[in-house]
Amino acid sequence: MRISITETTHPSPKPDSSQLGFGRIFTDHMFLMDYTAGAGWHEARIVPFGPLTLHPAATVLHYGAEIFEGLKAYRRPDGAVQLFRPVENIRRLNRSAERLCLPRIDETDALEILTAFVRHEQDWTPSAPGTSLYIRPFLFGTDETLGVHAAKSAMLVIIASPVGSYYKEGINPVKIMIEDQDVRAVRGGTGYAKCGGNYAASTRASERAEQQGYSQVLWLDGVERRYIEEVGAMNVMFKIDGEIVTPALTGSILPGITRMSCIELLKKEGYPVSERLLSVDELAQALESGRLEEAWGCGTAAVISPIGELCYQGIKYPVSGGAIGPVTQYLYDTLTGIQWGTKPDPFHWTYLLD
Ligand SMILES: *Cc1c(COP(=O)(O)O)cnc(C)c1O
């Protein structure tokens, strides 16, 4: 693959790690590549970070043909920078592309692009505890017509943002509202694809929950509003009667790489893990009878987010006495240890940039 590089003439100073937040500061460059039916992907280039120019009829602006990924580059104690299971993000990007009729990218080329871009921007990877360089690849249709068709032209963009520790004051359990009105996705829809449209559909409920003091919503299935799906931008897991239960990937749930990694870690440790349907009634009963021992969300941004309270139809249920449970803590420590290179990586999940 040939990737042309145009260096910025105005490099920005690196931010202070105490001022990072999430996705507000961007590195000096971005990666761009164009797709045209017939010609395929072409003009891979790293250019100075800046606005994109789009035709006002571009498909993405009218019909939401957009997919994205989210992964992080981590600064190891020895100063090197590594990624976490990047090939899984590439595979998921291609599965999302297939669902939205956007062009796929050869896996080897995509890994080459991703690593070349992150290597070019790696000085932006912060080193303070819990900080990382968040990488956001996104792909969208750019056909210059209002007709509705599979994209014949598209663009892949990768931007990167140094992000702060998700937990500035230690890991605080979050309050989650179980949403029983809006739905995020239905089977047969785009729930399993990481696409912007899923977020457009979910924002109203998230805003309502936030106004009531909840950090995210827990989605129920779109048909019966009965089965637990996932939390905002995270998958969800519960420990009920000693068993780890997480909703099965039925098509409306995003198949998280953190979720998959948690399952692999837990199985290796000998925990019984069950991927199955979990109804909100079963969950409420487990809460009422004290059999729900722990609950947590898992995703790239927060890694592991303990749930300290669930609210369903106006009833507030405390979880783990509002504290972080031992399995939640184990997953957090192990995953972050592997990601930041402070613990051994027996699964070979990390990808070291040379
Ligand atoms: C990205 C995402 C997740 C988490 O996936 P990871 O690969 O673990 O980061 C979960 N749910 C939704 C809706 C997401 O967009």
Side-chain angles (χ1 to χ4, degrees), residues 221-233:
D221 78 276
V223 179
E224 297 182 62
R225 287 183 180 70
R226 183 163 166 225
Y227 297 102
I228 306 289
E229 299 233 301
E230 60 178 310
V231 178

Side-chain angles (χ1 to χ4, degrees), residues 92 184 194 199 230 232-235 254 256-259 298-300:
R92 186 170 64 191
R184 187 190 86 97
K194 207 167 174 77
Y199 280 82
E230 60 178 310
M234 290 188 282
N235 295 109
L254 201 285
I257 295 159
T258 319
R259 174 191 183 277
C298 52
T300 297

Side-chain angles (χ1 to χ4, degrees), residues 97-304:
E98 194 277 332
R99 179 64 184 83
L100 276 90
C101 293
L102 286 163
R104 281 172 278 190
I105 306 175
D106 175 83
E107 209 174 284
T108 311
D109 289 349
L111 188 63
E112 196 180 324
I113 286 164
L114 186 67
T115 51
F117 175 65
V118 180
R119 209 172 273 128
H120 191 267
E121 301 299 273
Q122 63 176 310
D123 287 354
W124 285 83
T125 313
S127 57
T131 63
S132 56
L133 183 65
Y134 184 81
I135 303 149
R136 168 56 61 87
F138 55 110
L139 197 170
F140 51 90
T142 55
D143 291 34
E144 299 176 354
T145 164
L146 296 177
V148 186
H149 296 286
K152 288 196 186 64
S153 56
M155 191 170 205
L156 170 73
V157 185
I158 311 177
I159 54 177
S161 167
V163 297
S165 173
Y166 198 86
Y167 300 104
K168 277 171 229 65
E169 292 111 31
I171 315 181
N172 282 323
V174 293
K175 290 161 69 179
I176 301 286
M177 168 82 80
I178 301 180
E179 172 66 29
D180 60 1
Q181 294 168 55
D182 288 1
V183 298
R184 187 190 86 97
V186 289
R187 230 174 279 181
T190 55
Y192 70 89
K194 207 167 174 77
C195 65
N198 290 340
Y199 280 82
S202 64
T203 305
R204 184 171 71 174
S206 305
E207 288 292 310
R208 276 197 303 245
E210 253 178 58
Q211 277 161 17
Q212 295 178 59
Y214 289 82
S215 66
Q216 293 197 36
V217 303
L218 177 60
W219 297 104
L220 300 178
D221 78 276
V223 179
E224 297 182 62
R225 287 183 180 70
R226 183 163 166 225
Y227 297 102
I228 306 289
E229 299 233 301
E230 60 178 310
V231 178
M234 290 188 282
N235 295 109
V236 68
M237 298 189 171
F238 304 92
K239 183 162 177 258
I240 305 172
D241 267 343
E243 184 189 43
I244 315 294
V245 181
T246 192
L249 299 177
T250 50
S252 47
I253 297 172
L254 201 285
I257 295 159
T258 319
R259 174 191 183 277
M260 175 167 72
S261 306
C262 285
I263 293 172
E264 289 171 35
L265 269 177
L266 289 167
K267 285 190 171 164
K268 182 171 168 273
E269 285 301 304
Y271 285 98
V273 184
S274 172
E275 295 177 63
R276 62 172 171 88
L277 290 180
L278 172 66
S279 72
V280 68
D281 312 297
E282 181 185 344
L283 187 68
Q285 275 165 23
L287 280 161
E288 278 159 12
S289 61
R291 287 178 298 115
L292 185 89
E293 298 162 51
E294 297 181 42
W296 63 91
C298 52
T300 297
V303 194
I304 300 291

Side-chain angles (χ1 to χ4, degrees), residues 294-296 304-307 320 324-333:
E294 297 181 42
W296 63 91
I304 300 291
S305 180
I307 298 173
S320 305
I324 178 165
V327 177
T328 314
Q329 185 76 53
Y330 162 79
L331 285 172
Y332 180 81
D333 292 343

